[in-house]
Amino acid sequence: MTDNTYPLDISIHDRDTPFLLLDSSKLERNVARLRAHTARFGVPLRPHLKTVKSVEAARLILADGTGPATVSTLKEAEVFSAAGCKDLIYAVGIAPRKLARVVALLKEGTDISVILDSIEQAHAVARYSREAGVKIPALIEIDSDGHRSGVVPGDALLIEIGKILHNEGAELRGIITHAGESYHCKTLQAHQAMAEKERAAAVACADALREAGLPSPVVSVGSTPTAHFSEDLTGVTEVRAGVFTLFDLVMTGAGVCQTSDIALFVVATVIGHQHQKGWIMVDAGWMAMSRDRGTAAQEVDQRYGIVCSMEGEPLGDLIMIDVNQEHGILALRPGSQQTLPTLPYGSRVRILPNHACATVSQHGEFAVVRDGSEHIEALWPIIHGW
């Protein structure tokens, strides 16, 4: 990938707020951790770039810049392809009007696979393949945990879809699954069991295709928790994960990381106080943080984020308890016996987000630092649109 970073040398105290701060050294450590884990099993990692949505960040995440990688929008696919990443999975069920863009990428030399879980989608992909004269690679999505979409293991629908793809003009690549329910696991044993459930479901479905005389060269599994807690990857050909690159409070609450591993902050300025209510007002609302409340179902509800000093250290029990569009309300966690920190008008704080992917999508660029430095080294543009 080409390096399009924008060199700077300004302080985190000088930039207008709110802005998105990324510690690239933490990102690199997070990536190295998961790569070391999957390498134990000899299984390659296919990072999901939907979390960072950035060509420059992807250069630190991908092994050599060319892939393999996963994307969640065709806009991401087009931008990453133009930057040199030529091995992609578009990991959202394919819509018929998007097939033209998929074929355009294929004809330009990008190996991009689509995913599907229905007869209707299979017919659409096969038909468009014939009309375009290009075999569109397709993976059959498996519902390994009841979380979202996918074919249930053991359903005869799997073989029907496989036959349509294989016999009617497309390219059957194999199986893909995502154990999204892993985000709700609370113990190491539960995480390990979910990882094995995901693996076993995917491998069983791949075996079923092969027994029916159909190909399944790809057996793709992955979520950030199952990727980290897998103990056996027999039969799996690749592992996908996305939020592991930056981490967030949901992953902290799930026991996958520590708050010190989170590479992402929103920097905000104190713009006022409501002393009688115990509130501190800042200029970062849901437009900066997102409305994601992913920690609400966890043991500790972080509301909209943990408030930290400008050195990145949590300020006791201070959290962002509520948000409006451009206003954030900071207060002590309910039940706290601590004293509200003194944060004068004009002072700045860093806020750790609930869901890194959602927060990143609210911003136009990362302000990049290394090793906790106060000096912004670069601005990395963030991809927007579908």
Side-chain angles (χ1 to χ4, degrees), residues 4 8 12 15 43 72 83 95 103-104 131 144 162 167 169 177 186 190 206 212 256 266 272 275 292 323 337 344 358:
N4 294 319
L8 294 172
I12 59 175
R15 186 168 171 80
V43 177
S72 62
V103 166
E131 293 172 355
S144 59
N167 298 326
T177 191
K186 294 181 169 57
V256 185
V266 173
H275 295 291
D292 193 285
V323 289
Q337 300 303 307

Side-chain angles (χ1 to χ4, degrees), residues 36-364:
H37 178 70
T38 59
R40 290 173 46 207
F41 306 100
V43 177
L45 180 64
R46 180 184 285 273
H48 203 321
L49 301 179
K50 70 168 184 175
T51 300
V52 295
K53 287 180 172 286
S54 159
V55 169
E56 292 73 32
R59 295 180 66 248
L60 301 182
I61 296 166
L62 302 179
D64 65 0
T66 62
T70 314
V71 295
S72 62
T73 71
L74 287 177
K75 180 66 173 293
E76 291 169 10
E78 291 157 353
V79 173
F80 289 124
S81 172
C85 185
K86 300 296 186 180
D87 181 357
L88 298 170
I89 292 176
Y90 170 44
V92 177
I94 189 64
R97 290 187 62 86
K98 293 180 179 179
L99 289 168
R101 291 167 71 187
V102 171
V103 166
L105 284 164
L106 289 167
K107 288 183 175 180
E108 292 167 2
T110 299
D111 185 357
I112 181 169
S113 300
V114 302
I115 74 170
L116 48 83
D117 65 355
S118 71
I119 295 292
E120 294 83 1
Q121 288 172 305
H123 279 305
V125 170
R127 181 170 56 252
Y128 205 93
S129 294
R130 295 192 304 272
E131 293 172 355
V134 175
K135 286 182 175 288
I136 300 172
L139 296 160
I140 303 175
E141 185 176 10
I142 301 304
D143 178 6
S144 59
D145 63 349
H147 176 71
R148 194 165 55 195
S149 51
V151 177
V152 176
D155 192 327
L157 180 62
L158 174 71
I159 306 304
E160 293 182 59
I161 293 173
K163 287 180 177 178
I164 293 167
L165 294 171
H166 186 61
N167 298 326
E168 297 185 14
E171 178 188 346
L172 175 58
R173 278 277 173 94
I175 295 298
I176 187 169
T177 191
H178 168 69
E181 285 300 295
S182 62
Y183 281 42
H184 304 300
C185 293
K186 294 181 169 57
T187 66
L188 173 61
Q189 293 74 21
H191 278 299
Q192 291 171 338
M194 181 62 74
E196 174 55 21
K197 182 178 181 180
E198 179 185 56
R199 183 203 70 84
V203 171
C205 289
D207 287 343
L209 287 176
R210 294 167 187 145
E211 289 167 6
L214 298 168
S216 185
V218 174
V219 183
S220 182
V221 305
S223 69
T224 286
T226 57
H228 284 83
F229 292 111
S230 54
E231 295 183 294
D232 179 9
L233 291 174
T234 303
V236 169
T237 65
E238 63 181 28
V239 171
R240 305 179 329 281
V243 76
F244 80 98
T245 55
L246 303 181
F247 283 130
D248 54 26
L249 293 176
V250 169
M251 289 296 100
T252 301
V256 185
C257 67
Q258 303 296 317
T259 55
S260 58
D261 297 318
I262 300 175
L264 189 72
F265 299 86
V266 173
V267 179
T269 299
V270 174
I271 57 173
H273 300 81
Q274 292 287 327
H275 295 291
Q276 71 278 17
K277 298 177 181 177
W279 290 357
I280 301 170
M281 311 300 294
V282 295
D283 62 351
W286 60 258
M287 286 290 288
M289 299 301 303
S290 90
R291 279 198 177 275
D292 193 285
R293 292 278 283 109
T295 63
Q298 295 182 326
E299 184 175 350
V300 178
D301 183 357
Q302 308 290 7
R303 303 297 284 269
Y304 291 92
I306 292 178
V307 184
C308 301
S309 68
M310 285 301 284
E311 292 71 43
E313 295 299 320
L315 294 172
D317 284 337
L318 191 65
I319 60 174
M320 179 174 275
I321 62 163
D322 205 355
V323 289
N324 298 123
Q325 184 166 336
E326 301 293 353
H327 292 75
I329 301 174
L330 313 184
L332 293 174
R333 191 183 306 280
S336 173
Q337 300 303 307
Q338 295 182 4
T339 301
L340 191 70
T342 300
L343 291 174
Y345 169 71
S347 61
R348 294 187 170 204
V349 292
R350 298 188 190 189
I351 305 165
L352 293 167
N354 279 328
H355 185 181
C357 308
T359 299
V360 167
S361 69
Q362 299 294 108
H363 294 261

